[in-house]
Amino acid sequence: MTSAAAPADRLHVKLDSGGDGGGEPLLRFEFGAASPDPRRVPCAHLAGPATESWYAGEIGESADTCDAAWAHSERYAYCALSVDEADGDIEAAAANAYQRLLTCVRPSAHPYLLRVWNYFTAINEGQDDDERYRRFCVGRARAVDGMFNDPPPAATAIGAVCAEGTPARVQLIALCANVPATALENPRQTPAWRYPREYGPVSPGFSRGALLDADTQTPRLLASGTASIVGHISRHAGDTTAQLRESLANLMALLDQGHQRCGRRFELAGCESLRVYLRQPNDLAIAQAVISESELPAGHVLYLRGDVCRRELNVEIEGVFAAR
Ligand code: 3EB
């Protein structure tokens, strides 16, 4: 055992063009039509790399069933699961899914939740506090423990289309570790867990980002789903180009927070993978044009069809950044 961990033992992400990355990934994300596999991101793939592989050293154990899957290395683990909705009750399904997640994760060797992806159908259906995203937030808040909120994991919540002929379901994919991450907030944005009452009965439980492996040569910064929100106000309704530019400004402010917290620089050029979720597939060309004006490596950007949790917003981004 050396004290400076080999980078291969720590988290790094490679896209399908990136070779095998040395060994087996902890988790390989694939995108497209929903399937029973709880790891599959149920968002149509519009452009860019087709898979995202998350490596974290040698895999110890893994298991894989239709509604739950997990694997772990020494430091990291993932757990993915789905819960069918009974009679469209998204709140109960979210509570059930988070109870199951915590039941799996808390007694394990990797009890810290670093990042969670939440996918479910018809996210903007229902008015005001009946909107399904808000009900999802209520169910999640009901199920989680004190450790979850102190501070909450980085997260994404995106609306997707469920597989034809199958029940609607809540799908969670969680990245866990044997040590906590450093949670990040964005000075341009109100912490989501402090959103005012107008956005729902409970504030969403997520942090804007997570800083990992700050003890190594190459820390990573995981950016949560980032949209065109300044303070707590949605900006540029109806203008996808301006929304994406605002989202990039939020992302750059978050990267700067990573620098403040660990003294290492994070830049758009250090992006290992960026997901762009678009409500309207027709916005692909304009999204690609905005991305091409930025320092992001265009080959590391993938575009997916997905619904943002605020109906007035058309685009959300998330990603993984390696320190320079
Ligand atoms: C926002 O700023 C955007 O409820 O887990 C982004 C990431 C968003 C995670 C969640 C919601 C969530 O409010 C929406």
Side-chain angles (χ1 to χ4, degrees):
M1 275 280 145
T2 53
S3 55
D9 293 325
R10 297 304 182 91
L11 199 81
H12 54 286
V13 174
K14 295 207 170 183
L15 299 164
D16 53 11
S17 50
D20 70 5
E24 198 190 339
L26 178 71
L27 174 57
R28 176 167 286 134
F29 285 98
E30 295 179 357
F31 310 95
S35 86
D37 186 336
R39 293 167 296 195
R40 186 173 172 86
V41 176
C43 295
H45 178 262
L46 302 176
T51 66
E52 205 182 64
S53 295
W54 290 53
Y55 292 89
E58 202 183 322
I59 305 306
E61 284 184 278
S62 62
D64 180 353
T65 65
C66 273
D67 68 354
W70 54 266
H72 65 78
S73 65
E74 189 182 330
R75 189 144 181 127
Y76 289 101
Y78 87 87
C79 178
L81 58 85
S82 65
V83 169
D84 287 349
E85 289 175 31
D87 302 323
D89 190 344
I90 179 73
E91 182 183 328
N96 189 342
Y98 271 88
Q99 268 154 20
R100 279 182 62 196
L101 180 66
L102 296 185
T103 302
C104 293
V105 165
R106 292 300 188 224
S108 78
H110 305 85
Y112 297 99
L113 288 168
L114 308 185
R115 200 198 187 306
V116 184
W117 289 265
N118 306 276
Y119 297 104
F120 52 96
T121 190
I123 194 167
N124 302 126
E125 202 175 282
Q127 285 310 306
D128 302 320
D129 287 350
D130 288 330
E131 187 183 33
R132 280 167 53 85
Y133 173 64
R134 297 186 183 192
R135 303 318 307 172
F136 165 84
C137 288
V138 171
R140 172 173 57 186
R142 176 146 60 91
V144 296
D145 56 10
M147 184 174 166
F148 183 93
N149 289 312
D150 185 31
T156 292
I158 287 286
V161 178
C162 64
E164 205 163 321
T166 65
R169 62 179 193 164
V170 173
Q171 190 183 339
L172 307 183
I173 306 165
L175 178 72
C176 312
N178 63 357
V179 292
T182 300
L184 300 175
E185 285 302 323
N186 185 337
R188 295 183 89 237
Q189 300 189 287
T190 307
W193 34 267
R194 275 198 211 136
Y195 278 176
R197 175 64 182 87
E198 63 194 277
Y199 299 103
V202 303
S203 302
F206 70 96
S207 294
R208 298 290 175 190
L211 187 59
L212 322 184
D213 294 335
D215 58 324
T216 68
Q217 278 301 304
T218 316
R220 293 296 190 286
L221 188 155
L222 309 185
S224 292
T226 303
S228 179
I229 297 170
V230 179
H232 54 77
I233 308 285
S234 298
R235 292 287 194 87
H236 319 296
D239 184 345
T240 303
T241 297
Q243 287 182 27
L244 185 50
R245 288 195 181 121
E246 196 77 73
S247 303
L248 288 172
N250 279 331
L251 177 61
M252 287 189 278
L254 184 75
L255 296 180
D256 186 59
Q257 287 301 297
H259 180 216
Q260 311 268 327
R261 293 300 290 269
C262 76
R264 299 290 306 278
R265 265 180 207 291
F266 293 92
E267 295 168 349
L268 292 181
C271 177
E272 288 188 312
S273 180
L274 191 90
R275 296 185 195 170
V276 179
Y277 296 95
L278 294 171
R279 189 184 291 278
Q280 298 153 354
N282 279 348
D283 280 341
L284 175 62
I286 64 171
Q288 287 172 315
V290 174
I291 294 291
S292 72
E293 293 162 3
S294 77
E295 301 287 317
L296 286 161
H300 290 205
V301 182
L302 58 99
Y303 297 84
L304 305 172
R305 219 293 315 161
D307 293 323
V308 182
C309 65
R310 292 192 185 186
R311 65 190 69 202
E312 67 276 17
L313 296 180
N314 293 333
V315 60
E316 185 168 305
I317 58 178
E318 59 164 77
V320 181
F321 296 82
R324 187 164 74 179

